[in-house]
mmCIF file of all heavy atoms in Angstrom:
data_model
loop_
_atom_site.group_PDB
_atom_site.id
_atom_site.type_symbol
_atom_site.label_atom_id
_atom_site.label_comp_id
_atom_site.label_asym_id
_atom_site.label_seq_id
_atom_site.Cartn_x
_atom_site.Cartn_y
_atom_site.Cartn_z
ATOM 1 N N ASP A 1 38.383 154.398 115.755
ATOM 2 C CA ASP A 1 38.682 155.574 116.565
ATOM 3 C C ASP A 1 38.220 156.819 115.809
ATOM 4 O O ASP A 1 38.933 157.310 114.938
ATOM 5 C CB ASP A 1 40.183 155.654 116.866
ATOM 6 C CG ASP A 1 40.511 156.678 117.947
ATOM 7 O OD1 ASP A 1 39.578 157.106 118.667
ATOM 8 O OD2 ASP A 1 41.697 157.048 118.071
ATOM 9 N N PHE A 2 37.031 157.286 116.122
ATOM 10 C CA PHE A 2 36.497 158.435 115.402
ATOM 11 C C PHE A 2 35.584 159.264 116.285
ATOM 12 O O PHE A 2 35.074 158.807 117.296
ATOM 13 C CB PHE A 2 35.751 157.996 114.138
ATOM 14 C CG PHE A 2 34.482 157.221 114.401
ATOM 15 C CD1 PHE A 2 33.255 157.859 114.485
ATOM 16 C CD2 PHE A 2 34.514 155.846 114.570
ATOM 17 C CE1 PHE A 2 32.090 157.153 114.724
ATOM 18 C CE2 PHE A 2 33.361 155.127 114.804
ATOM 19 C CZ PHE A 2 32.135 155.779 114.887
ATOM 20 N N ARG A 3 35.396 160.517 115.875
ATOM 21 C CA ARG A 3 34.474 161.425 116.536
ATOM 22 C C ARG A 3 33.481 161.923 115.491
ATOM 23 O O ARG A 3 33.758 161.892 114.291
ATOM 24 C CB ARG A 3 35.201 162.621 117.174
ATOM 25 C CG ARG A 3 36.421 162.250 118.030
ATOM 26 C CD ARG A 3 36.054 161.459 119.262
ATOM 27 N NE ARG A 3 37.262 161.161 120.042
ATOM 28 C CZ ARG A 3 37.966 160.046 119.927
ATOM 29 N NH1 ARG A 3 37.584 159.113 119.046
ATOM 30 N NH2 ARG A 3 39.036 159.848 120.666
ATOM 31 N N VAL A 4 32.341 162.412 115.948
ATOM 32 C CA VAL A 4 31.288 162.880 115.038
ATOM 33 C C VAL A 4 30.962 164.329 115.366
ATOM 34 O O VAL A 4 30.091 164.608 116.199
ATOM 35 C CB VAL A 4 30.030 162.000 115.144
ATOM 36 C CG1 VAL A 4 28.992 162.442 114.122
ATOM 37 C CG2 VAL A 4 30.377 160.532 114.935
ATOM 38 N N PRO A 5 31.640 165.292 114.725
ATOM 39 C CA PRO A 5 31.294 166.705 114.939
ATOM 40 C C PRO A 5 29.892 166.987 114.404
ATOM 41 O O PRO A 5 29.367 166.280 113.533
ATOM 42 C CB PRO A 5 32.360 167.457 114.121
ATOM 43 C CG PRO A 5 33.457 166.466 113.885
ATOM 44 C CD PRO A 5 32.778 165.133 113.807
ATOM 45 N N ASP A 6 29.281 168.048 114.925
ATOM 46 C CA ASP A 6 27.935 168.401 114.471
ATOM 47 C C ASP A 6 27.946 168.987 113.070
ATOM 48 O O ASP A 6 27.004 168.781 112.296
ATOM 49 C CB ASP A 6 27.305 169.408 115.447
ATOM 50 C CG ASP A 6 27.039 168.783 116.800
ATOM 51 O OD1 ASP A 6 26.379 167.729 116.830
ATOM 52 O OD2 ASP A 6 27.492 169.336 117.818
ATOM 53 N N LEU A 7 29.001 169.730 112.743
ATOM 54 C CA LEU A 7 29.168 170.307 111.410
ATOM 55 C C LEU A 7 30.648 170.292 111.073
ATOM 56 O O LEU A 7 31.504 170.189 111.957
ATOM 57 C CB LEU A 7 28.664 171.758 111.345
ATOM 58 C CG LEU A 7 27.201 172.045 111.637
ATOM 59 C CD1 LEU A 7 27.002 173.532 111.915
ATOM 60 C CD2 LEU A 7 26.337 171.619 110.455
ATOM 61 N N GLY A 8 30.957 170.446 109.786
ATOM 62 C CA GLY A 8 32.352 170.548 109.368
ATOM 63 C C GLY A 8 32.498 171.448 108.166
ATOM 64 O O GLY A 8 31.577 171.576 107.352
ATOM 65 N N VAL A 9 33.636 172.115 108.083
ATOM 66 C CA VAL A 9 34.004 172.881 106.890
ATOM 67 C C VAL A 9 35.227 172.178 106.314
ATOM 68 O O VAL A 9 36.214 171.949 107.021
ATOM 69 C CB VAL A 9 34.325 174.343 107.233
ATOM 70 C CG1 VAL A 9 34.734 175.110 105.974
ATOM 71 C CG2 VAL A 9 33.117 175.017 107.886
ATOM 72 N N HIS A 10 35.137 171.837 105.023
ATOM 73 C CA HIS A 10 36.134 170.958 104.424
ATOM 74 C C HIS A 10 36.772 171.573 103.183
ATOM 75 O O HIS A 10 36.143 172.351 102.460
ATOM 76 C CB HIS A 10 35.485 169.628 104.020
ATOM 77 C CG HIS A 10 34.656 169.007 105.074
ATOM 78 N ND1 HIS A 10 35.170 168.151 106.029
ATOM 79 C CD2 HIS A 10 33.319 169.134 105.364
ATOM 80 C CE1 HIS A 10 34.201 167.751 106.839
ATOM 81 N NE2 HIS A 10 33.069 168.342 106.453
ATOM 82 N N ARG A 11 38.004 171.171 102.936
ATOM 83 C CA ARG A 11 38.678 171.480 101.687
ATOM 84 C C ARG A 11 38.428 170.341 100.710
ATOM 85 O O ARG A 11 38.308 169.187 101.108
ATOM 86 C CB ARG A 11 40.181 171.649 101.913
ATOM 87 C CG ARG A 11 40.535 172.752 102.919
ATOM 88 C CD ARG A 11 42.053 172.888 103.066
ATOM 89 N NE ARG A 11 42.417 173.823 104.113
ATOM 90 C CZ ARG A 11 42.447 175.149 103.954
ATOM 91 N NH1 ARG A 11 42.142 175.682 102.765
ATOM 92 N NH2 ARG A 11 42.787 175.939 104.962
ATOM 93 N N GLY A 12 38.336 170.674 99.428
ATOM 94 C CA GLY A 12 38.136 169.633 98.426
ATOM 95 C C GLY A 12 36.708 169.117 98.427
ATOM 96 O O GLY A 12 35.758 169.825 98.768
ATOM 97 N N ASP A 13 36.569 167.844 98.051
ATOM 98 C CA ASP A 13 35.248 167.235 97.901
ATOM 99 C C ASP A 13 35.161 165.995 98.787
ATOM 100 O O ASP A 13 35.480 164.890 98.353
ATOM 101 C CB ASP A 13 35.026 166.858 96.429
ATOM 102 C CG ASP A 13 33.617 166.370 96.167
ATOM 103 O OD1 ASP A 13 32.744 166.584 97.030
ATOM 104 O OD2 ASP A 13 33.390 165.780 95.091
ATOM 105 N N PRO A 14 34.754 166.149 100.039
ATOM 106 C CA PRO A 14 34.730 165.003 100.962
ATOM 107 C C PRO A 14 33.577 164.057 100.650
ATOM 108 O O PRO A 14 32.406 164.404 100.805
ATOM 109 C CB PRO A 14 34.542 165.670 102.330
ATOM 110 C CG PRO A 14 33.791 166.927 102.024
ATOM 111 C CD PRO A 14 34.288 167.389 100.679
ATOM 112 N N ILE A 15 33.919 162.862 100.208
ATOM 113 C CA ILE A 15 32.872 161.902 99.848
ATOM 114 C C ILE A 15 33.012 160.588 100.598
ATOM 115 O O ILE A 15 32.151 159.716 100.489
ATOM 116 C CB ILE A 15 32.873 161.625 98.323
ATOM 117 C CG1 ILE A 15 34.236 161.076 97.885
ATOM 118 C CG2 ILE A 15 32.522 162.888 97.546
ATOM 119 C CD1 ILE A 15 34.270 160.653 96.418
ATOM 120 N N ASP A 16 34.095 160.426 101.346
ATOM 121 C CA ASP A 16 34.333 159.154 102.036
ATOM 122 C C ASP A 16 33.550 159.073 103.345
ATOM 123 O O ASP A 16 33.171 160.087 103.934
ATOM 124 C CB ASP A 16 35.820 158.970 102.322
ATOM 125 C CG ASP A 16 36.648 158.871 101.046
ATOM 126 O OD1 ASP A 16 36.111 158.359 100.044
ATOM 127 O OD2 ASP A 16 37.813 159.311 101.062
ATOM 128 N N THR A 17 33.330 157.865 103.812
ATOM 129 C CA THR A 17 32.659 157.652 105.095
ATOM 130 C C THR A 17 33.527 158.109 106.248
ATOM 131 O O THR A 17 33.033 158.686 107.225
ATOM 132 C CB THR A 17 32.315 156.169 105.276
ATOM 133 O OG1 THR A 17 31.437 155.757 104.218
ATOM 134 C CG2 THR A 17 31.625 155.925 106.622
ATOM 135 N N TRP A 18 34.832 157.881 106.138
ATOM 136 C CA TRP A 18 35.775 158.228 107.199
ATOM 137 C C TRP A 18 36.709 159.308 106.687
ATOM 138 O O TRP A 18 37.476 159.082 105.756
ATOM 139 C CB TRP A 18 36.574 156.989 107.638
ATOM 140 C CG TRP A 18 35.699 155.814 107.909
ATOM 141 C CD1 TRP A 18 35.461 154.748 107.096
ATOM 142 C CD2 TRP A 18 34.903 155.612 109.080
ATOM 143 N NE1 TRP A 18 34.570 153.896 107.675
ATOM 144 C CE2 TRP A 18 34.211 154.394 108.894
ATOM 145 C CE3 TRP A 18 34.718 156.328 110.257
ATOM 146 C CZ2 TRP A 18 33.342 153.882 109.852
ATOM 147 C CZ3 TRP A 18 33.859 155.826 111.206
ATOM 148 C CH2 TRP A 18 33.186 154.608 111.003
ATOM 149 N N LEU A 19 36.617 160.498 107.266
ATOM 150 C CA LEU A 19 37.463 161.612 106.854
ATOM 151 C C LEU A 19 38.634 161.762 107.815
ATOM 152 O O LEU A 19 38.448 161.700 109.034
ATOM 153 C CB LEU A 19 36.658 162.912 106.820
ATOM 154 C CG LEU A 19 35.441 162.930 105.890
ATOM 155 C CD1 LEU A 19 34.807 164.318 105.893
ATOM 156 C CD2 LEU A 19 35.826 162.530 104.468
ATOM 157 N N PRO A 20 39.853 161.989 107.292
ATOM 158 C CA PRO A 20 41.028 162.071 108.168
ATOM 159 C C PRO A 20 41.119 163.373 108.947
ATOM 160 O O PRO A 20 41.748 163.427 110.007
ATOM 161 C CB PRO A 20 42.211 161.935 107.199
ATOM 162 C CG PRO A 20 41.674 162.460 105.889
ATOM 163 C CD PRO A 20 40.234 162.040 105.861
ATOM 164 N N THR A 21 40.469 164.437 108.456
ATOM 165 C CA THR A 21 40.559 165.733 109.123
ATOM 166 C C THR A 21 39.442 166.639 108.619
ATOM 167 O O THR A 21 38.608 166.225 107.807
ATOM 168 C CB THR A 21 41.940 166.381 108.854
ATOM 169 O OG1 THR A 21 42.098 167.536 109.696
ATOM 170 C CG2 THR A 21 42.084 166.782 107.398
ATOM 171 N N ALA A 22 39.445 167.876 109.089
ATOM 172 C CA ALA A 22 38.514 168.906 108.614
ATOM 173 C C ALA A 22 39.177 170.250 108.803
ATOM 174 O O ALA A 22 39.990 170.430 109.710
ATOM 175 C CB ALA A 22 37.197 168.856 109.385
ATOM 176 N N ALA A 23 38.849 171.202 107.942
ATOM 177 C CA ALA A 23 39.396 172.549 108.098
ATOM 178 C C ALA A 23 38.846 173.184 109.373
ATOM 179 O O ALA A 23 39.591 173.763 110.163
ATOM 180 C CB ALA A 23 39.068 173.395 106.877
ATOM 181 N N ILE A 24 37.542 173.082 109.560
ATOM 182 C CA ILE A 24 36.887 173.605 110.759
ATOM 183 C C ILE A 24 35.934 172.543 111.298
ATOM 184 O O ILE A 24 35.129 171.980 110.547
ATOM 185 C CB ILE A 24 36.096 174.897 110.472
ATOM 186 C CG1 ILE A 24 37.004 175.974 109.884
ATOM 187 C CG2 ILE A 24 35.435 175.415 111.753
ATOM 188 C CD1 ILE A 24 36.262 177.244 109.478
ATOM 189 N N VAL A 25 36.051 172.277 112.578
ATOM 190 C CA VAL A 25 35.115 171.402 113.274
ATOM 191 C C VAL A 25 34.143 172.282 114.051
ATOM 192 O O VAL A 25 34.551 173.237 114.713
ATOM 193 C CB VAL A 25 35.861 170.452 114.228
ATOM 194 C CG1 VAL A 25 34.905 169.820 115.218
ATOM 195 C CG2 VAL A 25 36.604 169.388 113.430
ATOM 196 N N VAL A 26 32.872 171.999 113.953
ATOM 197 C CA VAL A 26 31.850 172.759 114.678
ATOM 198 C C VAL A 26 31.149 171.824 115.655
ATOM 199 O O VAL A 26 30.669 170.755 115.265
ATOM 200 C CB VAL A 26 30.817 173.383 113.716
ATOM 201 C CG1 VAL A 26 29.783 174.189 114.502
ATOM 202 C CG2 VAL A 26 31.509 174.265 112.685
ATOM 203 N N GLU A 27 31.102 172.257 116.908
ATOM 204 C CA GLU A 27 30.395 171.498 117.936
ATOM 205 C C GLU A 27 29.325 172.375 118.566
ATOM 206 O O GLU A 27 29.604 173.476 119.025
ATOM 207 C CB GLU A 27 31.364 171.015 119.030
ATOM 208 C CG GLU A 27 32.369 169.956 118.581
ATOM 209 C CD GLU A 27 31.775 168.559 118.529
ATOM 210 O OE1 GLU A 27 30.572 168.411 118.821
ATOM 211 O OE2 GLU A 27 32.528 167.617 118.203
ATOM 212 N N VAL A 28 28.096 171.908 118.555
ATOM 213 C CA VAL A 28 27.008 172.561 119.284
ATOM 214 C C VAL A 28 26.931 171.844 120.625
ATOM 215 O O VAL A 28 26.434 170.713 120.713
ATOM 216 C CB VAL A 28 25.678 172.464 118.524
ATOM 217 C CG1 VAL A 28 24.570 173.151 119.308
ATOM 218 C CG2 VAL A 28 25.816 173.094 117.135
ATOM 219 N N ARG A 29 27.436 172.503 121.655
ATOM 220 C CA ARG A 29 27.605 171.830 122.942
ATOM 221 C C ARG A 29 26.332 171.832 123.775
ATOM 222 O O ARG A 29 25.685 172.859 123.974
ATOM 223 C CB ARG A 29 28.735 172.477 123.752
ATOM 224 C CG ARG A 29 28.972 171.760 125.068
ATOM 225 C CD ARG A 29 30.009 172.416 125.945
ATOM 226 N NE ARG A 29 30.078 171.700 127.220
ATOM 227 C CZ ARG A 29 29.281 171.959 128.259
ATOM 228 N NH1 ARG A 29 28.418 172.965 128.205
ATOM 229 N NH2 ARG A 29 29.368 171.242 129.358
ATOM 230 N N CYS A 30 25.980 170.659 124.250
ATOM 231 C CA CYS A 30 24.891 170.492 125.205
ATOM 232 C C CYS A 30 25.487 170.248 126.592
ATOM 233 O O CYS A 30 26.635 169.818 126.707
ATOM 234 C CB CYS A 30 24.016 169.298 124.812
ATOM 235 S SG CYS A 30 23.114 169.513 123.267
ATOM 236 N N PRO A 31 24.726 170.487 127.638
ATOM 237 C CA PRO A 31 25.242 170.199 128.981
ATOM 238 C C PRO A 31 25.681 168.737 129.096
ATOM 239 O O PRO A 31 25.017 167.842 128.584
ATOM 240 C CB PRO A 31 24.038 170.487 129.884
ATOM 241 C CG PRO A 31 23.234 171.483 129.119
ATOM 242 C CD PRO A 31 23.381 171.091 127.666
ATOM 243 N N ASP A 32 26.815 168.546 129.730
ATOM 244 C CA ASP A 32 27.318 167.208 130.054
ATOM 245 C C ASP A 32 27.780 166.400 128.848
ATOM 246 O O ASP A 32 27.983 165.191 128.962
ATOM 247 C CB ASP A 32 26.267 166.395 130.823
ATOM 248 C CG ASP A 32 25.756 167.147 132.032
ATOM 249 O OD1 ASP A 32 26.597 167.596 132.828
ATOM 250 O OD2 ASP A 32 24.526 167.296 132.176
ATOM 251 N N ASP A 33 27.937 167.030 127.664
ATOM 252 C CA ASP A 33 28.474 166.251 126.554
ATOM 253 C C ASP A 33 30.004 166.277 126.593
ATOM 254 O O ASP A 33 30.613 166.823 127.504
ATOM 255 C CB ASP A 33 27.897 166.702 125.204
ATOM 256 C CG ASP A 33 28.473 168.011 124.673
ATOM 257 O OD1 ASP A 33 29.483 168.499 125.229
ATOM 258 O OD2 ASP A 33 27.922 168.544 123.691
ATOM 259 N N GLU A 34 30.646 165.686 125.599
ATOM 260 C CA GLU A 34 32.100 165.491 125.620
ATOM 261 C C GLU A 34 32.834 166.387 124.627
ATOM 262 O O GLU A 34 33.928 166.041 124.165
ATOM 263 C CB GLU A 34 32.414 164.018 125.343
ATOM 264 C CG GLU A 34 31.848 163.083 126.403
ATOM 265 C CD GLU A 34 32.120 161.620 126.105
ATOM 266 O OE1 GLU A 34 31.569 161.111 125.096
ATOM 267 O OE2 GLU A 34 32.865 160.979 126.869
ATOM 268 N N THR A 35 32.265 167.549 124.312
ATOM 269 C CA THR A 35 32.850 168.445 123.322
ATOM 270 C C THR A 35 34.321 168.720 123.578
ATOM 271 O O THR A 35 35.175 168.525 122.699
ATOM 272 C CB THR A 35 32.071 169.773 123.283
ATOM 273 O OG1 THR A 35 30.779 169.549 122.700
ATOM 274 C CG2 THR A 35 32.810 170.821 122.454
ATOM 275 N N TYR A 36 34.645 169.208 124.783
ATOM 276 C CA TYR A 36 36.021 169.627 125.052
ATOM 277 C C TYR A 36 36.977 168.454 125.201
ATOM 278 O O TYR A 36 38.181 168.598 125.006
ATOM 279 C CB TYR A 36 36.063 170.527 126.288
ATOM 280 C CG TYR A 36 35.295 171.812 126.082
ATOM 281 C CD1 TYR A 36 34.157 172.102 126.833
ATOM 282 C CD2 TYR A 36 35.692 172.729 125.118
ATOM 283 C CE1 TYR A 36 33.433 173.272 126.626
ATOM 284 C CE2 TYR A 36 34.983 173.903 124.903
ATOM 285 C CZ TYR A 36 33.859 174.162 125.663
ATOM 286 O OH TYR A 36 33.150 175.316 125.446
ATOM 287 N N ASP A 37 36.463 167.287 125.508
ATOM 288 C CA ASP A 37 37.307 166.105 125.579
ATOM 289 C C ASP A 37 37.787 165.668 124.194
ATOM 290 O O ASP A 37 38.724 164.864 124.082
ATOM 291 C CB ASP A 37 36.546 164.945 126.227
ATOM 292 C CG ASP A 37 36.187 165.230 127.675
ATOM 293 O OD1 ASP A 37 36.954 165.954 128.336
ATOM 294 O OD2 ASP A 37 35.131 164.764 128.128
ATOM 295 N N LYS A 38 37.161 166.167 123.141
ATOM 296 C CA LYS A 38 37.530 165.781 121.779
ATOM 297 C C LYS A 38 38.639 166.650 121.191
ATOM 298 O O LYS A 38 39.171 166.331 120.129
ATOM 299 C CB LYS A 38 36.308 165.874 120.850
ATOM 300 C CG LYS A 38 35.100 165.064 121.269
ATOM 301 C CD LYS A 38 33.975 165.281 120.281
ATOM 302 C CE LYS A 38 32.676 164.649 120.714
ATOM 303 N NZ LYS A 38 31.608 164.856 119.699
ATOM 304 N N PHE A 39 38.983 167.757 121.864
ATOM 305 C CA PHE A 39 39.917 168.722 121.271
ATOM 306 C C PHE A 39 41.274 168.108 120.936
ATOM 307 O O PHE A 39 41.860 168.403 119.891
ATOM 308 C CB PHE A 39 40.099 169.921 122.206
ATOM 309 C CG PHE A 39 39.055 170.988 122.042
ATOM 310 C CD1 PHE A 39 37.725 170.661 121.828
ATOM 311 C CD2 PHE A 39 39.398 172.327 122.101
ATOM 312 C CE1 PHE A 39 36.754 171.638 121.679
ATOM 313 C CE2 PHE A 39 38.443 173.325 121.939
ATOM 314 C CZ PHE A 39 37.118 172.977 121.738
ATOM 315 N N GLU A 40 41.804 167.287 121.844
ATOM 316 C CA GLU A 40 43.109 166.667 121.588
ATOM 317 C C GLU A 40 43.062 165.799 120.339
ATOM 318 O O GLU A 40 43.984 165.810 119.515
ATOM 319 C CB GLU A 40 43.539 165.837 122.795
ATOM 320 C CG GLU A 40 44.915 165.193 122.627
ATOM 321 C CD GLU A 40 45.351 164.413 123.853
ATOM 322 O OE1 GLU A 40 44.582 164.372 124.841
ATOM 323 O OE2 GLU A 40 46.462 163.845 123.823
ATOM 324 N N PHE A 41 41.990 165.058 120.177
ATOM 325 C CA PHE A 41 41.815 164.208 118.992
ATOM 326 C C PHE A 41 41.776 165.059 117.727
ATOM 327 O O PHE A 41 42.438 164.744 116.734
ATOM 328 C CB PHE A 41 40.522 163.396 119.132
ATOM 329 C CG PHE A 41 40.243 162.455 117.992
ATOM 330 C CD1 PHE A 41 40.719 161.151 118.017
ATOM 331 C CD2 PHE A 41 39.494 162.865 116.900
ATOM 332 C CE1 PHE A 41 40.461 160.280 116.968
ATOM 333 C CE2 PHE A 41 39.229 162.003 115.847
ATOM 334 C CZ PHE A 41 39.719 160.710 115.880
ATOM 335 N N TYR A 42 40.997 166.133 117.744
ATOM 336 C CA TYR A 42 40.913 167.001 116.573
ATOM 337 C C TYR A 42 42.266 167.626 116.250
ATOM 338 O O TYR A 42 42.625 167.789 115.073
ATOM 339 C CB TYR A 42 39.882 168.100 116.807
ATOM 340 C CG TYR A 42 38.452 167.615 116.902
ATOM 341 C CD1 TYR A 42 37.520 168.282 117.703
ATOM 342 C CD2 TYR A 42 38.021 166.501 116.195
ATOM 343 C CE1 TYR A 42 36.206 167.847 117.791
ATOM 344 C CE2 TYR A 42 36.714 166.055 116.280
ATOM 345 C CZ TYR A 42 35.810 166.733 117.077
ATOM 346 O OH TYR A 42 34.507 166.299 117.165
ATOM 347 N N PHE A 43 43.031 167.995 117.277
ATOM 348 C CA PHE A 43 44.358 168.585 117.055
ATOM 349 C C PHE A 43 45.290 167.556 116.421
ATOM 350 O O PHE A 43 45.996 167.856 115.450
ATOM 351 C CB PHE A 43 44.937 169.083 118.385
ATOM 352 C CG PHE A 43 46.176 169.935 118.228
ATOM 353 C CD1 PHE A 43 46.078 171.309 118.060
ATOM 354 C CD2 PHE A 43 47.445 169.360 118.265
ATOM 355 C CE1 PHE A 43 47.213 172.093 117.916
ATOM 356 C CE2 PHE A 43 48.584 170.133 118.122
ATOM 357 C CZ PHE A 43 48.464 171.506 117.948
ATOM 358 N N GLU A 44 45.293 166.342 116.965
ATOM 359 C CA GLU A 44 46.167 165.291 116.444
ATOM 360 C C GLU A 44 45.820 164.924 115.006
ATOM 361 O O GLU A 44 46.687 164.471 114.252
ATOM 362 C CB GLU A 44 46.066 164.045 117.333
ATOM 363 C CG GLU A 44 46.653 164.236 118.727
ATOM 364 C CD GLU A 44 46.401 163.056 119.628
ATOM 365 O OE1 GLU A 44 45.568 162.193 119.243
ATOM 366 O OE2 GLU A 44 47.008 162.994 120.717
ATOM 367 N N HIS A 45 44.570 165.134 114.618
ATOM 368 C CA HIS A 45 44.145 164.809 113.258
ATOM 369 C C HIS A 45 44.187 166.010 112.317
ATOM 370 O O HIS A 45 43.582 165.975 111.235
ATOM 371 C CB HIS A 45 42.744 164.183 113.289
ATOM 372 C CG HIS A 45 42.740 162.752 113.742
ATOM 373 N ND1 HIS A 45 42.979 162.389 115.048
ATOM 374 C CD2 HIS A 45 42.569 161.592 113.055
ATOM 375 C CE1 HIS A 45 42.923 161.078 115.151
ATOM 376 N NE2 HIS A 45 42.691 160.566 113.962
ATOM 377 N N GLY A 46 44.900 167.058 112.702
ATOM 378 C CA GLY A 46 45.156 168.166 111.790
ATOM 379 C C GLY A 46 44.039 169.162 111.635
ATOM 380 O O GLY A 46 44.065 169.955 110.673
ATOM 381 N N GLY A 47 43.045 169.143 112.514
ATOM 382 C CA GLY A 47 41.994 170.152 112.444
ATOM 383 C C GLY A 47 42.599 171.547 112.572
ATOM 384 O O GLY A 47 43.508 171.774 113.371
#
């Protein structure tokens, strides 16, 4: 269960394949993509 933001701003030194959260999630939205559908997931994961 994961999402792939286009960019991220992180605290510390993120080196793992699977990150539990991010300080800032950046989405470059294209027409018809699922950017806004991911917001609940990002909120639940402490973004």
